[in-house]
Amino acid sequence: MESTKLWHVISFYLSSAFAIFRNLLLYTLNLNQSPLLTKFMDTILSLYFRFCNLSPCATDLDDQTTVHFWVANHRRFNKPSLVMVHGYGGNSLWQFLHQIGPLSRKFNVYVPDLLFFGKSHSKSLDRSDLFQAKCLADALKRLGVDRFSVYAISYGGFVAYRIAEMYPDEVEKVVILSSGILYTDDQKAEQLRRIGRHPSEILVPKNPDDLRLLVNLSMYKQNSLHWLPDFLLREFVTMMYDHRRKEKIELAEHLVEKKADTNLPVLTQETLIIWGDQDKVFPLELAHQLQRHLGSKSRLEIIKDTGHAANMESPDEVNKLVISFVSGCS
């Protein structure tokens, strides 16, 4: 038994070393064409997800649409299933860096790339959050996930809300982090005036200065990019945002241009709302609006001295809240 465990450990480190060497070699040979450092970091993150007992898989919904996931290697039937939905700040790998370890130990996690992010794609021209929700729910069914809770960040919150609304029997609990689902048209117009730029220019940055602005809006405690050189930020923009840039912009434009839903259904699931008190993207008043809309089955947790990206700025507190709520310990 001990020798088997030892072999697993040795195999993991050998495969990790080989993957790092292979990617270093490939990226070095293509240095002029590829963002070397950020792709290397992407490889490291992939290895970390594998270390957390997750594996990548792709689910073809039809000949037009494919949804990519990181999924638990072995489903533990004594633990709840948790679907983690990212926002515009990255893909499934980058946005949950500080959470995948603690949450994968407590739940069977399923971490999709939303359409046009990471390795998920579609030939469909539909850019709505409703289409994203239907595709994600369909993919989960094909993976055999019939009961699950969902934890979603920012743009992902719009998608998760639709899933919970459409599939009340499948979705057990909902956690929404910093997602302005109940923006009124007046509030949206005022926020756009305050920011002074179209959201698609911020959410899908073209250059290092755009990326710094996005991080500055998302963070309260510190701007972690001020000391990074432009070439490294340019690499990140190339890898993360140039891929399917047109589609990402269209997703953002859909959210901005659509009218506020004055008849948004009230979810039947217990819902935990988490918000940073210094959120500059979706002001705190939107959290209170969402809680009032959802009523007695909802709970609002406000994290002090934290901005929009609470999953990055206050990951320990967010993780504790998610684990306690989804596990039923709250």
Side-chain angles (χ1 to χ4, degrees):
M1 189 68 166
E2 291 299 324
S3 61
T4 301
K5 290 182 178 179
L6 178 61
W7 171 245
H8 284 318
V9 172
I10 293 173
S11 297
F12 170 78
Y13 283 110
L14 284 175
S15 62
S16 299
F18 175 75
I20 292 171
F21 174 77
R22 181 193 62 190
N23 282 279
L24 273 175
L25 178 61
L26 289 175
Y27 299 149
T28 300
L29 292 174
N30 296 280
L31 184 59
N32 293 328
Q33 292 80 31
S34 300
L36 172 63
L37 294 178
T38 49
K39 284 195 173 183
F40 177 67
M41 281 302 302
D42 200 65
T43 299
I44 296 299
L45 290 177
S46 296
L47 291 171
Y48 176 59
F49 270 51
R50 290 181 184 275
F51 183 75
C52 294
N53 293 313
L54 302 177
S55 294
C57 73
T59 301
D60 295 325
L61 304 186
D62 49 39
D63 61 353
Q64 289 199 340
T65 302
T66 298
V67 181
H68 178 268
F69 283 85
W70 284 90
V71 302
N73 289 332
H74 304 287
R75 189 181 306 181
R76 299 159 294 180
F77 292 98
N78 62 328
K79 295 187 180 296
S81 293
L82 180 66
V83 178
M84 302 168 63
V85 188
H86 66 82
Y88 253 89
N91 54 30
S92 55
L93 280 176
W94 289 78
Q95 194 138 82
F96 294 114
L97 169 63
H98 299 293
Q99 304 189 277
I100 196 63
L103 297 184
S104 65
R105 290 193 290 271
K106 296 294 183 179
F107 308 111
N108 298 306
V109 298
Y110 298 84
V111 195
D113 287 322
L114 290 174
L115 294 178
F116 313 118
F117 293 85
K119 298 179 181 178
S120 294
H121 55 86
S122 177
K123 295 178 182 177
S124 171
L125 298 178
D126 194 333
R127 299 293 180 258
S128 68
D129 45 307
L130 183 62
F131 180 66
Q132 292 268 16
K134 288 179 178 177
C135 290
L136 183 50
D138 191 3
L140 287 166
K141 286 181 182 178
R142 292 170 187 246
L143 290 174
V145 186
D146 52 4
R147 293 282 289 170
F148 58 91
S149 294
V150 60
Y151 158 52
I153 298 172
S154 195
Y155 172 67
F158 291 84
V159 178
Y161 199 100
R162 293 298 186 186
I163 295 176
E165 168 199 336
M166 291 188 293
Y167 305 97
D169 294 332
E170 287 82 359
V171 179
E172 296 180 298
K173 293 184 178 181
V174 180
V175 181
I176 293 174
L177 173 65
S178 306
S179 185
I181 296 167
L182 276 184
Y183 245 143
T184 67
D185 291 333
D186 289 342
Q187 287 172 323
K188 187 186 300 181
E190 172 59 24
Q191 184 69 350
L192 291 175
R193 186 198 63 76
R194 187 181 298 127
I195 294 175
R197 295 182 64 180
H198 193 280
S200 64
E201 297 177 5
I202 300 172
L203 294 173
V204 193
K206 291 182 179 179
N207 53 56
D209 287 340
D210 289 348
L211 184 57
R212 288 189 179 96
L213 175 59
L214 174 61
V215 172
N216 186 52
L217 283 172
S218 301
M219 300 288 194
Y220 170 71
K221 295 175 183 175
Q222 60 179 358
N223 185 341
S224 57
L225 300 188
H226 71 278
W227 57 273
L228 289 177
D230 281 0
F231 84 89
L232 188 57
L233 299 183
R234 195 173 294 111
E235 282 192 1
F236 186 82
V237 168
T238 298
M239 184 190 75
M240 193 68 66
Y241 297 106
D242 284 353
H243 177 65
R244 303 192 186 277
R245 171 178 292 276
K246 176 177 176 290
E247 290 86 349
K248 289 185 177 77
I249 291 174
E250 291 169 349
L251 290 174
E253 289 175 343
H254 172 83
L255 276 185
V256 173
E257 293 169 4
K258 77 171 185 175
K259 291 293 184 181
D261 189 348
T262 56
N263 296 309
L264 188 69
V266 176
L267 299 183
T268 58
Q269 298 92 343
E270 290 183 57
T271 303
L272 173 64
I273 304 164
I274 306 174
W275 224 275
D277 67 340
Q278 302 296 326
D279 194 328
K280 291 179 283 188
V281 177
F282 293 129
L284 185 57
E285 63 184 297
L286 294 175
H288 293 289
Q289 285 176 211
L290 183 57
Q291 186 191 25
R292 287 194 297 269
H293 177 76
L294 293 174
S296 60
K297 281 197 167 184
S298 67
R299 187 175 101 226
L300 172 61
E301 293 286 346
I302 300 172
I303 304 179
K304 292 184 178 180
D305 299 322
T306 297
H308 181 67
N311 56 304
M312 295 290 188
E313 287 196 293
S314 302
D316 292 341
E317 192 162 353
V318 171
N319 291 342
K320 288 177 184 177
L321 288 169
V322 173
I323 291 171
S324 175
F325 176 74
V326 175
S327 299
C329 303
S330 55

